[in-house]
Amino acid sequence: MTTSSSERGVSLGMPELPAPAYPDDVRARLEADAREIVARYPDSRSALLPLLHLVQSEEGHVTRTGMRFCADVLGLTTAEVTAVATFYTMYRRRPSGDYQVGVCTNTLCAVMGGDAIYEALQDHLGVGNGETTDDGKVTLEHIECNAACDYAPVVMVNWEFFDNQTVQSAKRLVDDLRGGRTVSPTRGAPLCTFKETARILAGFPDEREGAVDASGGAGPASLVGLRLAKGETAPARVVHPRDGGPHDAPQDGAVHDPSPTRHLSSHDAPQDTSASDPAHPAGPTAEEGE
């Protein structure tokens, strides 16, 4: 197995090349912010996560310079800081866009069209997972559950919710973001840039708080997931396989009012205990028997 020159340097005990330093004015500003963050905690090491958000708000991702700054402030090694920065996906390790567009591809969102949305946005933007458009506006990624299954499929932009999405609405969303047009999440605070979001996550005041309800609500929750779990079918919905296998023509629009018709299969249809396991029929609970 071959090793890079940097790996050989580490193995031979050679010092790592120093990270470039922040300009004096930037460092002075960050140090003032860092002192405020560290003062919140009884143990300074506990401030590492918000400090990483702070340096991310400066350059849009966590750079070697930012990690060196965190290490200096907290009296840690760069290895300790790097271990944390590389563990959490909320910290970007390379330049990214003003808007992080994440498409949920977890179970229900995928079934409801999340995979189709993600595939369509890859084609529409000409980027892959974790890649950024040439104009630096949008970074696309597929993400896991956002705890918003009632409004599947869900797209998040800088961690703000855009619920009940379709292929066409998601395309309009990214086009508006790239065109500098105002977009409103389906709930929560108005949208801000990724750098602004990072500063808020570092614990500094959210200037949007007065307008938290400006976007309205997400609308009525969908019962599709519940009905699918019961084995009830919905109108035809295309699910694009991630392995690139054959699939039907894409269909747009989210399904929110399926009509019960038949069970999908014996595995999808929940049954009473007595029917699924005759050896252990369901009976009254102890309280009911008393």
Side-chain angles (χ1 to χ4, degrees):
M1 181 179 68
T2 60
T3 58
S4 66
S5 58
S6 61
E7 290 172 330
R8 288 194 296 272
V10 171
S11 65
L12 294 173
M14 296 171 60
E16 182 183 357
L17 293 176
Y22 285 125
D24 291 343
D25 60 331
V26 173
R27 186 176 180 92
R29 173 167 47 79
L30 290 176
E31 284 178 343
D33 288 339
R35 284 193 294 271
E36 181 178 336
I37 292 173
V38 172
R40 302 172 191 158
Y41 300 93
D43 183 345
S44 63
R45 188 187 184 103
S46 300
L48 178 54
L49 294 181
L51 276 181
L52 285 169
H53 282 299
L54 175 65
V55 297
Q56 184 159 257
S57 74
E58 186 64 32
E59 299 179 81
H61 66 294
V62 176
T63 62
R64 290 175 57 230
T65 302
M67 289 188 285
R68 177 74 264 173
F69 173 82
C70 292
D72 290 344
V73 168
L74 300 177
L76 302 174
T77 66
T78 52
E80 289 174 303
V81 175
T82 302
V84 174
T86 56
F87 180 81
Y88 293 103
T89 58
M90 58 193 176
Y91 301 121
R92 311 303 186 199
R93 295 299 313 285
R94 58 183 179 179
S96 56
D98 294 333
Y99 301 100
Q100 306 283 316
V101 176
V103 182
C104 182
T105 56
N106 215 325
T107 307
L108 186 57
C109 279
V111 169
M112 295 300 296
D115 280 345
I117 291 172
Y118 177 65
E119 181 180 299
L121 289 184
Q122 284 184 300
D123 293 339
H124 187 64
L125 296 173
V127 297
N129 184 49
E131 296 179 351
T132 303
T133 53
D134 292 338
D135 56 11
K137 292 292 185 180
V138 171
T139 298
L140 179 67
E141 61 179 347
H142 73 77
I143 53 180
E144 296 303 323
C145 186
N146 297 305
C149 305
D150 286 347
Y151 307 109
V154 174
V155 172
M156 297 197 84
V157 180
N158 296 346
W159 295 300
E160 298 293 349
F161 287 99
F162 289 79
D163 305 293
N164 303 319
Q165 291 297 294
T166 67
V167 167
Q168 292 305 317
S169 69
K171 286 181 178 180
R172 287 193 300 270
L173 171 61
V174 296
D175 286 346
D176 287 343
L177 292 172
R178 298 183 73 186
R181 293 179 285 277
T182 300
V183 300
S184 298
T186 48
R187 51 196 159 114
L191 196 63
C192 62
T193 66
F194 182 66
K195 288 183 180 181
E196 292 169 333
T197 301
R199 184 168 176 83
I200 293 167
L201 291 173
F204 291 97
D206 184 352
E207 301 299 333
R208 307 170 303 160
E209 287 179 349
V212 158
D213 297 325
S215 300
S222 167
L223 298 179
V224 172
L226 175 63
R227 290 171 177 169
L228 288 174
K230 289 182 176 180
E232 301 167 357
T233 58
R237 179 110 191 160
V238 172
V239 178
H240 289 248
R242 296 184 196 174
D243 60 5
H247 49 262
D248 299 330
Q251 296 180 8
D252 193 18
V255 179
H256 294 296
D257 188 24
S259 300
T261 54
R262 61 179 179 81
H263 290 310
L264 297 173
S265 73
S266 59
H267 298 289
D268 296 315
Q271 299 177 340
D272 293 334
T273 303
S274 57
S276 59
D277 188 359
H280 298 87
T285 62
E287 291 81 0
E288 291 172 342
E290 293 176 353

